[in-house]
Amino acid sequence: MKALSDNFRGALMMAVAMLAFSSNDAAMKSLAGELPLFQAIFLRGIVTTVSMIILAGLFGQLRLRLGRQDFILICVRSLAEVAAAWTFLTALFNMQLANVTAILQALPLVMTFAGALFLKEPIGWRRLSASIIGFVGVLMIVQPGGESFNIYSIYALLSVGLIVIRDLAARRMSSDVPSMFAATFAAGTVTVFAGFGSMFIEWAPVTGHSAALLGGAASAVLIGYLMSVSAMRVGEISFVAPFRYVGLLTSLILGVVIFGQLPSTLALLGCVVVVGSGLFIFRRERQLSEVEAK
């Protein structure tokens, strides 16, 4: 009963995290016509970074003494975070919310390949086949050569690759690095780079509406991070992880309700293929972990 309770709590936390991240994306996309990209990232980053520093301090995770390798990995992770934030938000400002979110759902598929290639993790033919099918789903969403394909579709794909680099660096870190410290360092790095970039653009006035959107986005990011970290520490990862796809459903709904955007039939089918492939991989990993446990 305790295991079931932990799984339920973990799944609920993950669902809340994805709802929060999708809400952040919708808020940032709503700012596209009001504030320049670097200004929006910088202002949101100030609120998010300060909040995370306070929380990290309360949890005793502001560790400043780290080994050389861990420090290098944190820097690599943070720089990848900077590039991923820029490419993802650039795509988000110019593409349908659901399409960008759907492309991001390919992350587990790419991580399966990256884990086998760089971390020498075993990958069987079933998971390999599911990953390939998942990539077909991504192509159905991006639709190379179609009318909806443009430079911003490439930005969205680049953000996936950059997030993989970020996560690979995180997996290389030792257990001495608190997860809150790594995330706070990355948030601060993104804010600094965005602040530097905003020096070369003309700032737009921050109205009450845009301030409310920035505050909502910052709060959503903070809630999303706390809930996602907590979720992965409660219950079984193979049970909790599939609830990441709540974000895609939320983005579809928000895209229609707020922006009046509904992906094409082919893109929707691609979403189904990507989610189905991801769920199969999660299920297969759970089966393998159960076999190893025996």
Side-chain angles (χ1 to χ4, degrees):
M1 292 298 294
K2 183 179 184 302
L4 289 175
S5 176
D6 286 345
N7 283 341
F8 177 78
R9 289 191 296 117
L12 182 61
M13 289 177 181
M14 181 58 74
V16 171
M18 295 302 106
L19 176 61
F21 284 134
S22 295
S23 299
N24 161 72
D25 294 343
M28 292 298 288
K29 183 172 179 62
S30 297
L31 286 167
E34 298 187 32
L35 300 178
L37 177 61
F38 281 120
Q39 181 184 352
I41 298 176
F42 177 61
L43 294 177
R44 184 194 67 174
I46 292 175
V47 179
T48 304
T49 303
V50 171
S51 300
M52 292 182 71
I53 289 174
I54 294 173
L55 287 173
L58 291 175
F59 288 114
Q61 294 197 2
L62 279 180
R63 183 172 302 171
L64 301 179
R65 294 184 178 179
L66 298 170
R68 182 173 180 273
Q69 182 176 349
D70 281 334
F71 181 73
I72 292 174
L73 288 171
I74 285 178
C75 290
V76 171
R77 182 188 185 279
S78 299
L79 291 175
E81 186 80 62
V82 170
W86 175 61
T87 52
F88 174 76
L89 289 173
T90 300
L92 183 66
F93 271 39
N94 296 278
M95 290 178 63
Q96 291 190 13
L97 175 62
N99 281 11
V100 180
T101 306
I103 293 172
L104 208 62
Q105 303 309 309
L107 186 58
L109 312 176
V110 181
M111 279 300 298
T112 300
F113 273 121
L117 185 61
F118 298 107
L119 302 180
K120 307 303 180 183
E121 295 178 350
I123 175 174
W125 68 269
R126 293 182 180 85
R127 284 186 292 172
L128 179 62
S129 300
S131 297
I132 294 174
I133 293 173
F135 288 130
V136 173
V138 173
L139 292 176
M140 293 169 66
I141 298 168
V142 177
Q143 299 174 32
E147 294 182 359
S148 60
F149 183 78
N150 52 40
I151 185 63
Y152 302 112
S153 302
I154 298 176
Y155 274 103
L157 291 172
L158 282 174
S159 70
V160 174
L162 289 163
I163 292 173
V164 169
I165 295 174
R166 180 200 70 183
D167 290 350
L168 287 175
R171 290 175 68 170
R172 289 284 191 178
M173 292 178 192
S174 70
S175 58
D176 294 332
V177 182
S179 56
M180 179 69 83
F181 174 79
T184 303
F185 191 94
T189 304
V190 171
T191 303
V192 169
F193 271 83
F196 179 76
S198 67
M199 294 171 59
F200 301 95
I201 61 172
E202 182 178 353
W203 279 45
V206 179
T207 63
H209 180 256
S210 57
L213 287 173
L214 284 169
S219 300
V221 166
L222 192 61
I223 293 172
Y225 173 73
L226 291 175
M227 288 292 102
S228 61
V229 170
S230 300
M232 299 310 288
R233 293 182 173 180
V234 177
E236 303 170 9
I237 293 179
S238 57
F239 183 89
V240 173
F243 284 86
R244 290 179 181 274
Y245 293 117
V246 169
L248 178 55
L249 177 61
T250 304
S251 295
L252 282 168
I253 295 173
L254 292 176
V256 173
V257 173
I258 298 178
F259 305 106
Q261 297 175 340
L262 182 65
S264 65
T265 302
L266 184 59
L268 287 173
L269 288 174
C271 293
V272 173
V273 172
V274 171
V275 171
S277 301
L279 290 175
F280 177 84
I281 288 176
F282 285 130
R283 179 175 176 272
R284 184 59 184 167
E285 289 179 348
R286 183 176 186 180
Q287 289 175 339
L288 292 175
S289 62
E290 289 175 351
V291 172
E292 291 176 357
K294 294 178 181 179

